[in-house]
Amino acid sequence: MSIGYKSFHESSVKDPKGFWTEQAKLVDWHKPFEQVLDYSKPPFAKWFIGGQTNLCHNAVDRHLKDRAKQTALVAVSTETEQERAYTFEELHTEVNRMAAILQAHGVRKGDRVLIYMPMIAEACFAMLACARIGAIHSVVFGGFASHSLASRIDDAKPKMIITAEAGMRGGKAVPYKPLLDEAITLASSKPEKVLIVNRGLSEYSTVANRDIDYASEREKHLNTKVPVEWVDATHPSYILYTSGTTGKPKGVQRDTGGYAVALASSMRLIFGGNPGETMFTTSDIGWVVGHSYIIYGPLINGMATIMYEGTPLRPDAGIWWSLVEKYKVSVMFSAPTAVRVLKKQDPAFLSKYNLSTLRTLFLAGEPLDEPTASWIHDALKKPVVDNYWQTETGWPILAIQRGVEVMPHKFGSPGVPVYGYNMKLLDEATGAELGPDQKGVVAIEGPLPPGCMQTVWGDDQRFVKTYWETVPGKTVYSTFDWAIKDKDGYFFILGRTDDVINVAGHRLGTREIEESISSHANVAEVAVVGVEDQLKGQVAIGFVIAKDPAKVANMEAEVMKTVDSQLGAVARPARVYLVSALPKTRSGKIVRRALQAVAEGRDPGDISTMEDQSVLAQIKQVIGK
Ligand code: PRX
């Protein structure tokens, strides 16, 4: 039954308290909240004041009554050829064991636990175990290397780090433990304990009195029951680092009650998942999509979730669809990049499986181009729903909300504002609200709805300054995305206003990559920009001025190696060009927009503010455009 989008959205922003009181019924409360929203200190929004709940209880314990024997988690690895399903009861047992290990080693409510793990079931146990005892997890994507890890360790100051000795990609073991050891050496803050899940994939060394083995610890706690720690709705559940304009990643801090409510309602009204069904999200737990829609969202909604370790092409390009058939997936969530990869394969890989249970495919994380959307739509013959959001918001900002009203899709648009979000399209220079088809910055008027970031971990000032003070004359949340809005209220996202790039759906900061490249002994100056790429959406391209031009024989490879070892291959530029000068304004600022235009073979536009206009011509020559 259709509720009617317009009035539903209107009621959510005009009467947020009434609206969210209704949605809050979707989760269990140990103690009911007394106040729906405290917005006495804008832009800090506190939801469900006085209420107590727990994410692990809502994701696991709550379902034991009706669905103990139902599958909760399926961990599939096409790398190690292992596949294991856990019922809610079994998941409950494993989470209790993990929680007991954490407690036995001194982890308490409010302590941080850093999780640096591949896509294995134990990573899910670890996240839920933290939530169970009120510890704050900070998952770091397994593709990040030692320097990225070290800066996150120093910011979050975890008491414990949970890891595995290795992941596996494309049939090769990818060691995690040595990178973690290096990161701990680099970091000033040291964890007391490192818990290691040994998968038997690679050799590793251990540090006495610090490193502990998961399997033997688990044996000690096979039957230990750890009661749920009821926490205030505003208690932080996790920190997830994300890139921005500066080189220092921001710790996005999320609450507990608001997040549980936002996810529960999104599972019904946006994703249309029903308890007892299966959701398959192909992201990674290191990203926000993994937090919200591999772990918490589906489980809170009483659905089974699939964790997948491997590529979409091994053993062949039918692997994901075979899982859809086997586990009767009803809701699938992936990224345009993955679809572009599959599109290059024989369509028979898709048509040979029975996909009758699948209702909808959701895609997010980067712009969905028309050829990709049409191809997958024609191949599946199911609705393909683009949705736009950010690590900061934790759940969709723009989407066609099929559980509210099945509105028509428009190619190139993720749709209309999601309920709870009071969206504005504003002029960057004046802050004025824009009319149809005018380009502006996507902004959200406070209070942000439940589930969105509470603050930057340990730095309220940075939260206010970074997100709320960039549009002139207004205190509004900036998404740092350009967009236009058409006369029907559909948004079309046009790219970032800052230095964030999006490589195969992975959000990266060009400043972090520049800092890493600068550490190479022969780099005098560097600029990194995101350049359009057919498969990955964007790739990073580096422009480097060498200190000693006589020593540049292997410079490109060396610079790539530097980035690999510090940040991880995920941040490695696709090309590094040696140049003799960078385009700069008269005040010495690098004009990255012009570099990007030249690298994409576009006209750089107005370059009158540039100090030396011949620089771009030289760069064109170097890159052969
Ligand atoms: O630029 C937008 C782009 O990805 C950014 C957020 O990335 P991240 O924090 O990793 O969160 C991803 C959550 C899905 C946004 O600021 N982006 C995300 N989704 C879309 C998108 N751009 C266009 N269309 C989308 N659907």
Side-chain angles (χ1 to χ4, degrees):
M1 191 189 63
S2 188
I3 308 168
Y5 165 72
K6 222 169 167 281
S7 58
F8 193 71
H9 183 266
E10 234 171 63
S11 74
S12 76
V13 294
K14 285 205 173 128
D15 174 24
K17 294 181 184 171
F19 182 88
W20 289 107
T21 300
E22 220 19 62
Q23 300 301 317
K25 293 179 182 157
L26 293 171
V27 307
D28 268 9
W29 295 91
H30 176 66
K31 185 166 163 263
F33 49 91
E34 288 145 17
Q35 193 186 346
V36 189
L37 168 67
D38 173 3
Y39 200 49
S40 56
K41 287 195 195 84
F44 300 92
K46 291 183 177 166
W47 288 95
F48 308 119
I49 302 288
Q52 287 196 329
T53 184
N54 181 288
L55 278 180
C56 180
H57 166 84
N58 275 289
V60 185
D61 301 50
R62 174 190 188 194
H63 304 302
L64 293 178
K65 192 165 127 285
D66 297 331
R67 42 188 94 253
K69 303 284 179 220
Q70 179 199 304
T71 302
L73 171 69
V74 186
V76 180
S77 173
T78 50
E79 298 289 348
T80 59
E81 288 174 27
Q82 280 166 343
E83 196 163 319
R84 165 102 207 251
Y86 299 82
T87 62
F88 274 98
E89 199 170 50
E90 288 164 338
L91 179 60
H92 180 257
T93 304
E94 293 299 343
V95 171
N96 271 279
R97 291 169 179 164
M98 182 69 89
I101 300 172
L102 300 190
Q103 281 191 336
H105 291 280
V107 179
R108 299 283 176 266
K109 179 182 169 190
D111 288 341
R112 274 79 59 212
V113 174
L114 191 143
I115 298 173
Y116 180 59
M117 293 177 93
M119 288 288 284
I120 54 177
E122 289 80 359
C124 173
F125 307 158
M127 291 168 76
L128 292 168
C130 288
R132 187 169 196 82
I133 63 172
I136 302 166
H137 61 67
S138 178
V139 183
V140 177
F141 176 55
F144 283 131
S146 52
H147 282 238
S148 307
L149 250 173
S151 66
R152 287 155 175 80
I153 293 172
D154 274 336
D155 196 72
K157 301 185 175 51
K159 185 152 199 169
M160 181 189 271
I161 297 183
I162 310 180
T163 191
E165 98 289 9
M168 225 174 155
R169 182 122 187 121
K172 278 203 221 103
V174 184
Y176 278 44
K177 180 66 171 44
L179 298 191
L180 177 61
D181 287 340
E182 197 185 324
I184 296 174
T185 309
L186 286 169
S188 342
S189 165
K190 311 285 178 195
E192 286 171 22
K193 297 286 170 198
V194 173
L195 179 66
I196 306 146
V197 178
N198 182 1
R199 309 175 70 194
L201 300 176
S202 82
E203 296 287 318
Y204 61 97
S205 56
T206 52
V207 174
N209 300 323
R210 187 198 74 182
D211 292 0
I212 41 186
D213 175 56
Y214 170 71
S216 37
E217 289 292 313
R218 182 176 168 275
E219 285 300 312
K220 295 183 202 159
H221 298 285
L222 287 179
N223 299 312
T224 318
K225 291 278 168 287
V226 176
V228 159
E229 173 92 34
W230 299 108
V231 296
D232 288 343
T234 52
H235 178 71
S237 58
Y238 68 76
I239 310 166
L240 180 56
Y241 287 88
T242 192
S243 306
T245 303
T246 67
K248 188 175 181 276
K250 294 180 288 263
V252 167
Q253 178 187 318
R254 190 101 55 220
D255 72 355
T256 298
Y259 188 49
V261 171
L263 290 185
S265 96
S266 73
M267 286 306 303
R268 301 222 173 165
L269 297 173
I270 302 174
F271 295 97
N274 300 313
E277 296 177 346
T278 306
M279 180 159 184
F280 179 20
T281 300
T282 69
S283 181
D284 186 285
I285 49 150
W287 305 108
V288 70
V289 175
H291 283 64
S292 294
Y293 296 110
I294 296 176
I295 306 296
Y296 292 113
L299 292 176
I300 286 174
N301 198 34
M303 296 177 80
T305 186
I306 300 180
M307 278 180 87
Y308 177 77
E309 179 184 53
T311 76
L313 302 179
R314 267 169 52 101
D316 63 46
I319 177 63
W320 284 357
W321 312 114
S322 77
L323 293 174
V324 170
E325 178 183 286
K326 181 167 177 187
Y327 292 103
K328 301 189 170 49
V329 170
S330 65
V331 183
M332 189 163 169
F333 189 164
S334 191
T337 301
V339 177
R340 287 193 290 266
V341 168
L342 293 173
K343 187 168 153 230
K344 292 179 147 187
Q345 309 293 319
D346 186 343
F349 282 121
L350 217 153
S351 53
K352 83 181 201 207
Y353 295 99
N354 177 356
L355 307 180
S356 59
T357 55
L358 184 65
R359 271 195 305 275
T360 322
L361 172 68
F362 293 86
L363 297 173
E366 53 176 321
L368 175 61
D369 54 288
E370 179 161 354
T372 305
S374 303
W375 178 80
I376 192 67
H377 181 264
D378 292 348
L380 288 176
K381 298 185 180 60
K382 316 265 176 177
V384 174
V385 180
D386 187 1
N387 55 114
Y388 159 89
W389 45 294
Q390 309 182 303
T391 305
E392 288 84 346
T393 65
W395 63 291
I397 305 173
L398 296 171
I400 297 298
Q401 301 134 66
R402 297 176 64 87
V404 179
E405 181 182 340
V406 183
M407 289 163 69
H409 284 267
K410 296 191 187 190
F411 276 123
S413 167
V416 292
V418 167
Y419 56 88
Y421 291 95
N422 191 0
M423 311 282 302
K424 304 280 172 202
L425 196 64
L426 304 177
D427 185 284
E428 186 194 28
T430 64
E433 203 162 343
L434 297 172
D437 301 329
Q438 289 180 297
K439 179 175 166 180
V441 182
V442 181
I444 308 168
E445 201 152 282
L448 293 178
C452 292
M453 77 187 290
Q454 293 180 290
T455 185
V456 171
W457 173 255
D459 199 345
D460 285 351
Q461 237 354 71
R462 191 169 176 205
F463 172 62
V464 177
K465 253 184 104 68
T466 307
Y467 294 104
W468 297 86
E469 290 181 349
T470 60
V471 178
K474 287 207 169 121
T475 307
V476 286
Y477 171 88
S478 174
T479 61
F480 298 98
D481 277 304
W482 296 113
I484 55 168
K485 191 167 85 163
D486 73 5
K487 59 177 184 3
D488 302 321
Y490 284 62
F491 282 69
F492 294 75
I493 303 293
L494 304 172
R496 298 280 302 194
T497 65
D498 60 5
D499 296 319
V500 166
I501 61 171
N502 202 316
V503 179
H506 300 326
R507 173 168 164 182
L508 302 168
T510 53
R511 298 299 169 104
E512 279 169 271
I513 307 176
E514 287 175 2
E515 278 181 17
S516 171
I517 293 177
S518 297
S519 72
H520 184 284
N522 196 23
V523 169
E525 273 194 85
V526 55
V528 171
V529 295
V531 171
E532 211 172 81
D533 181 83
Q534 282 237 316
L535 196 63
K536 297 182 171 181
Q538 278 187 312
V539 289
I541 302 283
F543 295 88
V544 162
I545 304 177
K547 280 185 191 153
D548 183 353
K551 291 189 191 147
V552 294
N554 291 318
M555 195 71 177
E556 180 168 26
E558 282 174 27
V559 165
M560 287 185 180
K561 230 173 105 188
T562 306
V563 176
D564 275 7
S565 69
Q566 296 188 355
L567 304 181
V570 63
R572 181 200 305 153
R575 286 299 313 262
V576 177
Y577 295 108
L578 280 163
V579 294
S580 53
L582 289 169
K584 287 187 181 166
T585 60
R586 287 189 187 91
S587 59
K589 268 175 115 176
I590 298 172
V591 191
R592 291 181 177 76
R593 267 182 222 197
L595 265 180
Q596 183 190 36
V598 168
E600 289 181 347
R602 286 186 287 113
D603 176 6
D606 181 11
I607 52 167
S608 56
T609 58
M610 231 176 260
E611 167 89 41
D612 176 356
Q613 307 199 357
S614 68
V615 169
L616 284 181
Q618 289 170 21
I619 290 175
K620 268 189 209 167
Q621 256 194 342
V622 172
I623 63 180
K625 291 222 166 141

